[in-house]
Amino acid sequence: MTPIKEALELIHANVKPVKTEILPIESALGRVAAEHKFAQFDLPRFDNSAMDGYAVTMADAGGVIKSQDTIFAGDESDLKVTIGNGVKIMTGAVMPEGADAVIPVENTIETEDGIQLPDTIKRGANIRKKGEDITKGEQIVNFGDTIDAYLLTLLASQGITHIRVFCKPTVTVFATGHELKMHFEKVEAHQIYNSNAPMFIARSNELGCEAKFTGSTADTMESIKAHISSALDSDLIITSGGVSVGDADFTKDAFKELGMEVLFSKVDIKPGKPTTVGRIGKTWIVNLPGNPSAAAVNFEIFARSIINRLQGKNSPYIAPIVTKLAKDRKIKPGKFSVLMGRFDGEKFEVLEKQGPGMVSPLKSTDGLIIVTPEVDTLKEGDLVRVIPLAYNPTSKESLNLFTTV
């Protein structure tokens, strides 16, 4: 069996993004930059006032000045400040020539003779200097940065309209197993609904992919191979079931007959040992266990890592949250065990009810911990490393994902 750490190392060493496109920045939210971007001009573009007040000289400290003109933000002004004469100025307006500082309105007194200034004036006070935020030519976007609302704001501030990004990974899901029916089909007493395929599609879309479902296969080698062949234009194929040693488990063999190079098969993890990752050409394949909870936790560890890489992120590694355990938990030792639970912002509580074949615990789960084989008990207050599910924190470097004693 392949150790979890080694399996993840193989994924990160081999999976690469392949396709890019150019998008308007408004359409690039959540995508990953496939180029560097540089500032086209200084920001601010000119010295400007940080306050509503008076632009004055230091020589007028403690004195009374005259002020008859006002500069508003957006005004093109050629006004000058001289000793004894200031200029009223609004926030964001261009600083007039000769001004040393801006005195806020509330720090002045309006008198019959003019505007009384404070006794001390500090040079540069309340002035935003040209280029103090961004310097022309400065790199503002790195290759591999995820474009969020704030990075988009930065691009817009530079008048950048388009950016090259990595394409959304395309994911194909199909169902195997004649005992399974989709939720929109009639189910017989001896059959069950397939909850895994909708889960994979929804979760892939949540993580920023474009996922599609191509239907259910018959339990024959020919049917499974036909579904695989039709999905080889995708970046990633995700299936579940058919990867153990049962007589009707043809999925893995079907992939191999179509030339799949196996990256790893059978992982030292509980639940989910029969997890296989490989590729056919440029299409990556993840065969997950059929049990819903086992499929879910292995999706989050392995398929999610593949998706992070396909998206082109420069921080592709899963980043755990280190927090405290809410209460004692007994654990059967001897395996790398994945436990589902909830993180309330302060502590992580392992769910009492969970098992590989269960569906109901998934609704209550927003995090996972991976416990090392020697652990048989975790105590309240022990530090645990939680892999969050509600969001996808990532790191530039591989981090320790294991909870130990």
Side-chain angles (χ1 to χ4, degrees):
M1 291 187 294
T2 306
I4 298 169
K5 188 174 186 295
E6 182 180 329
L8 289 172
E9 287 173 351
L10 287 167
I11 286 171
H12 287 292
N14 287 278
V15 181
K16 302 287 188 294
V18 291
K19 294 173 284 190
T20 66
E21 60 183 332
I22 297 173
L23 292 178
I25 62 170
E26 296 87 349
S27 301
L29 191 64
R31 304 290 282 276
V32 177
E35 63 176 336
H36 300 312
K37 282 290 188 182
F38 300 88
Q40 300 182 62
F41 45 75
D42 293 329
L43 197 67
R45 298 187 74 168
F46 44 81
D47 292 356
N48 68 91
S49 176
M51 304 285 287
D52 292 344
Y54 294 92
V56 300
T57 68
M58 293 179 66
D60 284 322
V64 176
I65 62 167
K66 302 293 185 182
S67 177
Q68 296 179 339
D69 297 303
T70 302
I71 307 175
F72 292 92
D75 283 355
E76 184 177 357
S77 173
D78 59 359
L79 293 175
K80 297 181 180 180
V81 171
T82 58
I83 296 174
N85 294 279
V87 173
K88 194 169 187 180
I89 190 167
M90 300 294 105
T91 303
V94 177
M95 289 297 299
E97 185 180 337
D100 296 321
V102 173
I103 306 302
V105 172
E106 59 268 26
N107 293 347
T108 66
I109 301 172
E110 191 170 346
T111 71
E112 291 183 358
D113 297 326
I115 307 300
Q116 176 70 56
L117 300 181
D119 292 337
T120 302
I121 296 176
K122 182 178 178 182
R123 185 181 297 277
N126 302 309
I127 297 175
R128 295 186 288 220
K129 302 297 289 183
K130 177 183 177 180
E132 70 174 31
D133 185 3
I134 299 170
T135 304
K136 182 179 179 180
E138 178 182 342
Q139 186 168 324
I140 57 173
V141 176
N142 296 313
F143 182 99
D145 281 350
T146 299
I147 300 171
D148 59 15
Y150 302 114
L151 188 50
L152 190 150
T153 302
L154 182 56
L155 290 167
S157 77
Q158 288 291 312
I160 294 171
T161 61
H162 289 71
I163 186 168
R164 182 175 291 279
V165 296
F166 288 104
C167 295
K168 285 186 176 184
T170 54
V171 177
T172 295
V173 177
F174 58 83
T176 60
H178 72 281
E179 81 283 5
L180 298 176
K181 293 291 182 181
M182 294 306 297
H183 54 282
F184 47 79
E185 296 178 305
K186 182 181 177 181
V187 70
E188 304 294 341
H190 60 283
Q191 296 172 323
I192 59 174
Y193 284 119
N194 184 327
S195 58
N196 285 356
M199 173 175 65
F200 298 149
I201 294 167
R203 190 65 178 125
S204 296
N205 285 329
E206 282 183 338
L207 292 170
C209 302
E210 289 185 354
K212 64 181 179 180
F213 178 64
T214 58
S216 302
T217 72
D219 275 335
T220 66
M221 185 73 74
E222 292 72 21
S223 176
I224 297 172
K225 286 170 69 175
H227 273 77
I228 295 169
S229 297
S230 71
L232 291 178
D233 59 342
S234 300
D235 297 310
L236 175 62
I237 298 172
I238 302 176
T239 66
S240 63
V243 292
S244 58
V245 292
D247 290 340
D249 288 344
F250 299 123
T251 305
K252 188 159 57 174
D253 289 339
F255 277 110
K256 286 184 177 179
E257 285 197 13
L258 289 171
M260 182 172 79
E261 304 170 49
V262 177
L263 203 61
F264 57 84
S265 179
K266 293 185 180 178
V267 183
D268 187 9
I269 191 171
K270 179 184 177 181
K273 180 178 74 173
T275 294
T276 299
V277 169
R279 66 180 165 193
I280 299 175
K282 294 182 178 180
T283 302
W284 287 94
I285 296 108
V286 180
N287 294 154
L288 294 167
N291 284 324
S293 286
V297 300
N298 283 273
F299 178 101
E300 294 298 336
I301 296 168
F302 302 112
R304 192 163 118 188
S305 296
I306 291 172
I307 289 169
N308 286 346
R309 278 292 180 184
L310 288 173
Q311 288 172 327
K313 293 181 178 181
N314 57 17
S315 298
Y317 296 94
I318 294 171
I321 296 170
V322 180
T323 189
K324 291 182 179 180
L325 194 68
K327 60 182 182 180
D328 294 358
R329 177 74 180 200
K330 288 284 187 183
I331 299 160
K332 186 176 180 180
K335 297 282 187 181
F336 284 90
S337 299
V338 183
L339 302 175
M340 298 183 288
R342 288 198 64 80
F343 177 58
D344 65 4
E346 292 186 352
K347 294 182 179 180
F348 181 78
E349 182 175 355
V350 176
L351 299 183
E352 291 295 335
K353 178 184 176 182
Q354 58 181 290
M358 292 183 176
V359 177
S360 61
L362 295 172
K363 174 180 72 72
S364 303
T365 299
D366 65 7
L368 314 170
I369 60 172
I370 307 174
V371 181
T372 53
E374 71 278 6
V375 178
D376 60 5
T377 304
L378 288 174
K379 297 288 188 181
E380 178 181 349
D382 282 352
L383 291 180
V384 294
R385 297 179 182 274
V386 180
I387 298 173
L389 306 188
Y391 61 106
N392 185 24
T394 56
S395 168
K396 290 183 182 293
E397 299 178 352
S398 177
L399 301 176
N400 180 16
L401 300 179
F402 302 114
T403 294
T404 187
V405 289

